[in-house]
Amino acid sequence: GGVFNAKRSGIPIVIEINDSAIVERARPLFFQKLARKIESWVFTNCDGIVFISENFRKTIESYYDEVASSVVCPNAVNSNDFSPVKDRSAALRKDLGISDKVICGFVGSFIYWHGIDRFINDIAPKLKAYPHLVLLLIGDGDTYDRIKSIVHDYKLDDQIVMTGRVPHEKVRAYIGAMDFGILPDSNEYGSPMKLFEMMGIGVPLVSPDFDPIMEVVDDGDTGWLFP
């Protein structure tokens, strides 16, 4: 609709693309052939495209015969919204009873491609060997109940803190309470928002070395990457 009206009105239009009908999606997509036909028209008839990663640009350009000229700009956060809040974060650690622990955190949707359920499943049998380490998991989603059952089975309530959803305005304090974070998995083309939120608050993240993440993270300096 936006591209159609822009063309009809003679107004240039640049579109930002962070999802597509040709990639694996967290949200279901129906009428895929129709969606791809419309998408192809949009990519051809807009005046410019901003992609969130070089991988995503190459994926789109290799699938469609013609697309508008483009640039790559990873996701980002407003540094006024995501900056350290040490006083509130310290109080939060105290309220949660984990002031004297090393805190590894996760924040986001509990969906399969973030891999947090697989991470917890793998680490749960080993966690009691590291009593100084606490996992702080913030969010909700499809795999929340599975993780909850793993915590219960291994009797890890004192080492895995699950907050569920928290109000958006409080997320910054929760992230600030972490010593470092974990992003167990992502996808090959995406630019994970949590990466930028944590970096903005000064919390280093352990992330998989997908190309879009390697475009942002300087391994060993602004975060850590694993294969």
Side-chain angles (χ1 to χ4, degrees):
V3 175
F4 177 80
N5 280 312
K7 282 181 68 68
R8 189 175 62 175
S9 304
I11 300 172
I13 183 168
V14 176
I15 56 176
E16 189 260 5
I17 304 296
N18 57 41
D19 205 347
S20 169
I22 69 168
V23 297
E24 184 181 15
R25 297 159 50 92
R27 298 178 295 277
L29 176 66
F30 302 97
F31 305 107
Q32 289 194 9
K33 287 184 179 179
L34 177 60
R36 290 172 182 175
K37 187 168 289 190
I38 294 171
E39 188 168 86
S40 177
W41 183 89
V42 167
F43 290 164
T44 303
N45 286 276
C46 66
D47 295 282
I49 303 174
V50 179
F51 289 106
I52 55 171
S53 72
E54 184 63 35
N55 179 286
F56 199 22
R57 173 159 68 176
K58 290 178 179 177
T59 299
I60 296 295
E61 290 179 346
S62 66
Y63 186 88
Y64 293 110
D65 293 333
E66 182 183 356
V67 300
S69 58
S70 62
V71 297
V72 172
C73 181
N75 280 326
V77 293
N78 187 326
S79 58
N80 292 324
D81 295 332
F82 288 91
S83 56
V85 281
K86 295 183 179 179
D87 52 341
R88 282 194 284 155
S89 295
L92 188 57
R93 286 174 68 119
K94 187 175 181 180
D95 290 343
L96 294 172
I98 51 178
S99 295
D100 59 340
K101 305 293 184 180
V102 174
I103 301 175
C104 170
F106 171 87
V107 56
S109 300
F110 287 53
I111 56 178
Y112 76 96
W113 78 19
H114 287 170
I116 187 62
D117 58 322
R118 299 189 297 277
F119 171 71
I120 296 299
N121 186 66
D122 289 346
I123 203 172
K126 308 164 187 173
L127 201 52
K128 283 191 178 296
Y130 303 90
H132 63 289
L133 179 63
V134 166
L135 306 182
L136 177 59
L137 310 182
I138 302 159
D140 198 358
D142 295 342
T143 63
Y144 183 90
D145 290 339
R146 168 169 158 70
I147 295 171
K148 197 76 174 172
S149 67
I150 295 172
V151 173
H152 178 267
D153 291 344
Y154 284 93
K155 298 179 173 59
L156 290 169
D157 295 88
D158 58 335
Q159 280 189 274
I160 301 181
V161 179
M162 301 180 68
T163 66
R165 292 180 183 272
V166 301
H168 185 74
E169 64 273 12
K170 294 184 178 180
V171 169
R172 184 165 57 138
Y174 275 89
I175 294 176
M178 303 170 186
D179 293 298
F180 65 101
I182 179 75
L183 182 67
D185 202 356
S186 186
N187 57 49
E188 293 183 352
Y189 67 88
S191 182
M193 285 302 306
K194 299 311 168 195
L195 174 68
F196 300 94
E197 291 173 359
M198 289 193 172
M199 291 176 76
I201 295 174
V203 175
L205 200 61
V206 181
S207 312
D209 63 354
F210 288 109
D211 289 343
I213 295 176
M214 292 177 66
E215 291 174 14
V216 175
V217 175
D218 185 1
D219 189 23
D221 185 16
T222 56
W224 300 281
L225 302 177
F226 63 88

